[in-house]
Amino acid sequence: MFANTEWYLYNFRLPLAKRLQVELGAEVWVICPDGPYRPRLEAEGFHWISAEIDRRGLNPVRDLAAASRLARDLRKARPDLLHNFTLKSILIGTLAARRAGTPRIVNAVTGLGSMFSSSHWGRYRLPRTLLEVFLRWTFRNPGIRTIFQNPGDLAQVATHAGHQGRCRLIAGSGIDTDRFHPSGHPSTPPTLILASRLLKDKGVGDFCEAASIVHQSCPEAVFQVAGEIDEGNPGSFSSVELEALKANFPMVQFLGHRDDMPDLYRQATLAILPSRYREGVPRSLLEAAASGLPLVAVDGEGIRDIVRHGSNGRLVPPKDGGALAETLLELLADSGTREAYGRESRRLVVEGFDQSRVLDATFAVYQELGFPPRSDAPERMRVEP
């Protein structure tokens, strides 16, 4: 399992790795850069392969060098299947696996990100085109399956039936609906939460602008941002810019990274994501919905899969803190609508995004490729520590 951060694998894909390990008896290797969550992954019984990835855009020289290093490790480990998560890992992992002779590859497009966002359409024209060509090349390989999280992303890249034949649609990465559940009582004071990496395209600035407007009419409201700077992402706020946000919007609490998100959601009134980013299906909104929260988000691909306007939340225009504030004030004044939206949010996640459903669908993709292989397959070599 290959991702561009160890944080992603631990927080979003641990249930998949554990199920592979427990139900299939699979030996699971995690490929990612080193970081605070690497020891946690190893403590779960997974082996680690170091991967040095430049996440700040496409750099052919560095990416090919990373693929070459990974191919060397894959030749030693001889995995039966490589599962790549996020676009950069898909690029490097697929090239490496093809060079190493890995027989099965699953690529998970967890969102098209800033490169495909309308606000950056001209800036990323060339790398976006190259990436689309690469992905369409992978669609022709019978040993590769590509998983998309929403229909819009699939249609964007897999433009005709020949492409789509080896693509699969699995909404989200799966939510543990026992861990994320409603509190059963309203929060006091009203608390509005945005859970996201501190990327400019995630609408953090718009949330702050809306908070300053809402604060004037509802001074008791609490505004929280749970997330941290992502130094590997070119669209991240810098530490200096973050300090400026804190100074300009003192009513907003910047909580940093939190490991207690279920508790934060159970104490919240509304979950907000004013993202202009090309999301897959936003994990933060799925977790909030499982916690029984009404949702407010920018209308966009992936977001519409979990935010149904007028049913479990509201969709607002992008880059419009004023419109966001108006919607938040309306919902803060209407507890009946909030309660109805919250119930519907929970129902949507339980019926469509529950962890067991997503894992079953992912295992079905593995089975298409003949994984697990026959029990008489030759013993794999091991990477020396």
Side-chain angles (χ1 to χ4, degrees):
M1 303 178 72
F2 178 28
N4 57 14
T5 67
E6 86 303 347
W7 176 91
Y8 176 88
L9 287 176
Y10 186 84
N11 285 283
F12 293 172
R13 300 297 175 170
L14 183 60
L16 174 60
K18 292 296 291 183
R19 183 165 168 180
L20 283 163
Q21 186 184 60
V22 173
E23 292 191 14
L24 298 183
E27 183 176 341
V28 179
W29 294 72
V30 291
I31 307 168
C32 54
D34 199 358
Y37 286 84
R38 191 260 295 179
R40 301 191 194 188
L41 289 166
E42 291 182 309
E44 296 285 348
F46 311 135
H47 305 280
W48 174 59
I49 294 177
S50 176
E52 298 177 13
I53 306 174
D54 179 7
R55 295 172 54 216
R56 302 181 71 86
L58 293 177
N59 183 308
V61 174
R62 293 178 183 174
D63 294 342
L64 288 173
S68 180
R69 290 191 297 269
L70 180 55
R72 177 196 62 205
D73 290 330
L74 292 177
R75 288 191 193 100
K76 295 177 182 177
R78 295 179 61 191
D80 296 302
L81 183 146
L82 178 67
H83 195 155
N84 302 306
F85 302 93
T86 73
L87 292 175
K88 178 58 73 78
S89 300
I90 288 171
L91 173 65
I92 294 172
T94 302
L95 292 174
R98 293 287 288 166
R99 291 182 62 178
T102 302
R104 305 167 186 85
I105 303 169
V106 175
N107 291 328
V109 178
T110 57
L112 294 178
S114 296
M115 193 178 296
F116 288 80
S117 299
S118 58
S119 56
H120 299 297
W121 200 253
R123 177 183 177 185
Y124 290 120
R125 183 185 303 273
L126 178 59
R128 183 177 61 249
T129 300
L130 293 174
L131 188 59
E132 288 176 335
V133 169
F134 172 80
L135 288 172
R136 289 164 187 159
W137 168 75
T138 69
F139 300 155
R140 297 196 295 268
N141 190 304
I144 300 176
R145 293 293 183 273
T146 304
I147 297 172
F148 289 86
Q149 290 192 348
N150 68 69
D153 285 357
L154 192 156
Q156 172 78 43
V157 181
T159 52
H160 60 71
H163 293 156
Q164 295 171 9
R166 295 191 175 107
C167 296
R168 301 294 177 263
L169 187 63
I170 302 177
S173 54
I175 300 299
D176 184 343
T177 52
D178 292 328
R179 181 168 177 246
F180 290 92
H181 61 81
S183 66
H185 56 81
S187 59
T188 304
T191 302
L192 296 80
I193 187 168
L194 163 63
S196 167
R197 290 175 294 161
L198 298 185
L199 305 182
K200 295 172 184 177
D201 278 348
K202 291 285 190 176
V204 177
D206 298 333
F207 176 79
C208 291
E209 179 186 345
S212 68
I213 298 171
V214 173
H215 179 71
Q216 296 175 23
S217 300
C218 189
E220 71 277 15
V222 175
F223 305 91
Q224 297 177 334
V225 176
E228 60 186 351
I229 292 169
D230 183 356
E231 294 180 352
N233 192 303
S236 176
F237 283 93
S238 67
S239 57
V240 173
E241 290 170 325
L242 176 57
E243 291 305 314
L245 280 177
K246 292 178 180 179
N248 292 330
F249 301 99
M251 75 292 299
V252 178
Q253 301 173 3
F254 287 87
L255 306 179
H257 173 74
R258 298 291 292 258
D259 287 323
D260 60 342
M261 289 309 301
D263 292 332
L264 286 179
Y265 285 130
R266 282 192 286 272
Q267 297 164 14
T269 308
L270 292 168
I272 298 102
L273 186 64
S275 176
R276 308 186 289 273
Y277 197 81
R278 277 294 292 264
E279 306 281 351
V281 179
R283 175 83 178 199
S284 64
L285 292 182
L286 289 171
E287 292 176 347
S291 304
L293 290 180
L295 310 177
V296 179
V298 163
D299 191 2
E301 295 294 346
I303 290 177
R304 287 190 293 268
D305 290 64
I306 184 56
V307 184
R308 312 288 172 83
H309 186 76
S311 179
N312 75 316
R314 301 280 181 85
L315 294 169
V316 298
K319 303 181 184 181
D320 193 337
L324 176 59
E326 182 179 351
T327 298
L328 297 178
L329 285 169
E330 288 177 3
L331 290 174
L332 287 173
D334 189 345
S335 61
T337 295
R338 293 200 311 271
E339 290 173 5
Y341 283 2
R343 288 192 299 270
E344 180 64 8
S345 283
R346 173 72 179 178
R347 187 193 68 80
L348 286 172
V349 173
V350 169
E351 295 185 3
F353 299 92
D354 182 76
Q355 181 172 278
S356 62
R357 294 174 179 268
V358 171
L359 295 184
D360 287 346
T362 304
F363 269 46
V365 175
Y366 292 166
Q367 290 166 358
E368 287 182 33
L369 296 173
F371 181 85
R374 299 190 318 273
S375 60
D376 61 348
E379 179 70 13
R380 292 185 298 277
M381 296 173 60
R382 302 291 176 251
V383 174
E384 295 297 325

